[in-house]
Amino acid sequence: MTSIVVLGAGYAGMAATMSLAGRLRGRPGVRITLVDGSDRFTERLRLHQLASGQQLADLRIPAMLAGTGVRFVCGWVTGIDTASKKIRVDDESVLPYDVLVVAFGGAADTGAVPGAAEHAFTLDSAHNASALARRMPGTRSIAVCGSGLTGVEAAAEFAERHPDLRVELIGRTEPAGGMSPKARAYVAGALERLRVSVHSGAEIVKIRPDGVELAGGAGVAADAVLWTGGVRVSPLAAAAGLEVDAHGRVVVDAALRSLSHPSVYAVGDAAAVRQGYGTMHGTCQGGMPTGAHAAASIARELAGAEPKPFRFGYIHMPVSLGRNDADGL
Ligand SMILES: Cc1cc2nc3c(=O)[nH]c(=O)nc-3n(C[C@H](O)[C@H](O)[C@H](O)COP(=O)(O)OP(=O)(O)OC[C@H]3O[C@@H](n4cnc5c(N)ncnc54)[C@H](O)[C@@H]3O)c2cc1C
């Protein structure tokens, strides 16, 4: 029996699992297992909607897997032993694997600035986003830290949903600084229309319970602070001895196999995927194809063929600006 275990049922892990189930359907001697700490599929790219008080669809992973033959294990992975090829779940049970797919995703890097871990909300999970939603009644101002796409989407969502809320968007660059000049101008217009106060060129040095401290001594007072600055990944891959980059992402070859441990694939935000233009940054647009490609590679290897290299490029990068507006690169 060949045991394929996928760790993490987000966009990339779910894409890998579904693709594996389709490709290996009816093949005897293969078992696919998907592991996640929650049995609810987290629509991570909609968590700013949840945080601003909207309801999301209740997507249950066992229902999504119905009819695929995939076994679902609901539990938090606490260790990966690459020598014995075993996964520890919730410190209690052990899952053996022959082929592993690491798809743990990423989380807001609250270690980047003092006070963020203690005082800031994040959009890391439905649990964290719901905590911010519960805080909104009576909240008059929110500081959104980080002016990348997640920060822009969150600031726009809060401003649209809560017209009386003072929304401060704070970051080193202008909002959506990685987009084209035309797209940036559109984003700036939308944020102005939504009356979001933008603080560009600001270096955040500390998060306090009542706001944000900036380099040079200035500050932005706020009843609530949302941290979206940077992403860190689960330490489990590094702890397992897998080769990782400076952000803790698993370094993979062209076929998405770990460079140090070829029986381990890594996909989505958890992987450092090199392309001609550099290392892909984490998006679900890029994460889902990595999951599907890893599945194709695994199926080829099981059939005795060499996996093919992964190729991916963006032709469009969308950013939502509330429920009725959006922009693209
Ligand atoms: C507010 C917001 C808006 C975004 N908007 C966009 C957008 O418009 N377009 C876009 O392309 N991207 C967007 N992104 C980024 C996108 O959501 C991520 O790149 C994507 O979710 C990465 O997919 P993933 O499968 O690698 O990880 P995730 O979707 O984060 O899934 C990881 C899964 O692993 C599980 N897990 C983690 N650790 C463990 C463990 N130890 N044990 C068991 N399970 C574990 C988690 O429970 C989770 O289900 C946005 C992100 C945010 C936060």
Side-chain angles (χ1 to χ4, degrees), residues 37-248:
S38 167
D39 76 340
R40 182 174 176 178
F41 179 77
T42 300
E43 290 188 272
R44 191 170 160 80
L45 63 75
R46 293 189 184 279
L47 288 181
H48 54 306
Q49 292 177 245
L50 188 61
S52 67
Q54 300 163 54
Q55 293 298 314
L56 299 183
D58 187 5
L59 304 172
R60 296 288 157 176
I61 294 167
M64 294 164 84
L65 296 177
T68 62
V70 172
R71 176 171 67 136
F72 177 60
V73 173
C74 186
W76 292 104
V77 175
T78 51
I80 303 170
D81 185 339
T82 52
S84 64
K85 292 194 169 178
K86 290 197 171 89
I87 303 300
R88 208 168 52 246
V89 181
D90 283 338
D91 280 336
E92 289 161 7
S93 53
V94 167
L95 287 175
Y97 70 84
D98 298 294
V99 182
L100 188 66
V101 181
V102 172
F104 285 134
D109 186 5
T110 50
V113 163
E118 295 83 357
H119 306 305
F121 291 91
T122 67
L123 298 174
D124 285 346
S125 63
H127 179 79
N128 291 348
S130 299
L132 179 50
R134 284 195 300 278
R135 174 75 176 272
M136 289 319 291
T139 294
R140 290 156 304 160
S141 54
I142 183 167
V144 178
C145 300
S147 51
L149 298 186
T150 304
V152 167
E153 290 195 337
E157 203 73 42
F158 277 103
E160 184 182 84
R161 186 85 184 167
H162 303 282
D164 294 331
L165 184 73
R166 179 166 53 81
V167 181
E168 312 273 359
L169 177 61
I170 309 167
R172 286 194 189 113
T173 63
E174 67 177 296
M179 296 181 101
S180 67
K182 193 172 162 214
R184 290 201 305 271
Y186 190 89
V187 168
L191 293 174
E192 194 179 332
R193 173 175 56 77
L194 290 164
R195 292 191 289 130
V196 173
S197 305
V198 175
H199 306 256
S200 299
E203 185 70 28
I204 299 164
V205 294
K206 192 171 182 180
I207 307 297
R208 298 189 314 249
D210 59 351
V212 172
E213 245 175 69
L214 304 178
V220 178
D223 295 337
V225 177
L226 174 64
W227 182 257
T228 72
V231 172
R232 65 182 155 80
V233 301
S234 165
L236 285 171
L242 295 169
E243 184 178 334
V244 296
D245 71 358
H247 302 283

